[in-house]
Amino acid sequence: MTVGAGISLSDGKLTVYGKCVLRDVHDNVVITAASSGSGNALMDGAFIGVRSDQMGSRRVFPVGKLEELRFMCVFRHKFWWMTQWMGASGKDIPFETQFLVVEVCDDTHIDEGSTDEANQSIRYAVFLPILEGDFRAVLQGNEQNELEICLESGDPAVDKFEGSHLVFVAAGSDPYDVITNSVKTVEKHLQTFSHREKKKMPDILNWFGWCTWDAFYTNVTAEGLKQGLDRVHEEGLYLWNIVIEL
């Protein structure tokens, strides 16, 4: 089956523009076409889901093997904090990964009329785990180099899920365009948030403030605060707000 942005799932392989991203894809994995409504293939994509009779407030579903392809991801390494990670196989993908972009190289795929064949042969596949009903999805890897979808409701009493739209995937030659357009497509699908281009910048961004985290991290003291404020005063600056972060 081939869906938007050159994404195909057949013979146990998830491919983008003819290049395999995931192999040994499990039989219960399904893809559903998605479109932004623009008619632009780069703004189209697919939702990855799973068919399962399993119930539970937390379920883990292996999707397929990711091997010898460079990736960058963003994952939650603390309850309130996220950071990036890079690797080249499924086992390198951390728990609580909420964004994944994979570099897919295919020397046989050259855009007609291109003057830079090396760059034109590279495609970027973006994976965005999303919310479905009462469940949230995140990505992770296992020791078999499989990309997994971890599905959680956070409530033992909430254990039934549909599972058809768990991860959005899209691909293209410009990673920035693919990321931006993927978020816009998910925005249209979920209808629970607005892309930043539609948001008005709050007035507070025009005010000069000071956050103690950059100066002291968790070692905040009254003496340190006074020294910091004295330094600001010496420079002739006026603070509109102070954030004391412990």
Side-chain angles (χ1 to χ4, degrees), residues 95-244:
F95 292 105
E96 286 288 330
T97 291
Q98 300 181 9
F99 165 82
L100 173 69
V101 56
V102 181
E103 182 184 65
V104 186
C105 300
D106 186 351
D107 294 336
T108 65
H109 185 89
I110 307 296
D111 286 357
E112 185 177 353
S114 171
T115 59
D116 189 347
E117 295 185 352
N119 288 337
Q120 290 295 331
S121 66
I122 298 176
R123 294 294 182 268
Y124 297 90
V126 171
F127 294 80
L128 293 178
I130 61 175
L131 301 174
E132 184 184 65
D134 295 323
F135 284 78
R136 64 184 284 267
V138 293
L139 302 174
Q140 61 191 42
N142 63 28
E143 288 301 315
Q144 289 72 46
N145 281 333
E146 290 180 313
L147 174 68
E148 295 180 330
I149 300 173
C150 179
L151 200 60
E152 294 180 299
S153 70
D155 183 350
V158 180
D159 57 6
K160 297 180 181 179
F161 56 89
E162 182 178 344
S164 60
H165 295 70
L166 304 180
V167 178
F168 179 76
V169 57
S173 58
D174 187 320
Y176 302 103
D177 285 345
V178 178
I179 293 169
T180 298
N181 294 328
S182 294
V183 173
K184 289 181 177 179
T185 303
V186 172
E187 172 196 12
K188 181 179 180 181
H189 169 72
L190 292 178
Q191 298 185 20
T192 56
F193 70 95
S194 296
H195 187 269
R196 61 184 175 87
E197 291 179 355
K198 298 180 181 179
K199 296 180 179 180
K200 180 182 178 181
M201 292 294 183
D203 291 338
I204 195 173
L205 295 181
N206 296 317
W207 303 346
F208 180 65
W210 179 44
C211 178
T212 61
W213 179 263
D214 293 327
F216 306 113
Y217 294 99
T218 58
N219 188 28
V220 179
T221 64
E223 181 182 358
L225 283 173
K226 184 178 184 306
Q227 291 177 351
L229 293 174
D230 288 344
R231 179 64 183 275
V232 171
H233 180 71
E234 291 171 2
E235 296 294 333
L237 301 175
Y238 179 81
L239 292 176
W240 283 88
N241 61 77
I242 301 174
V243 178
I244 300 175

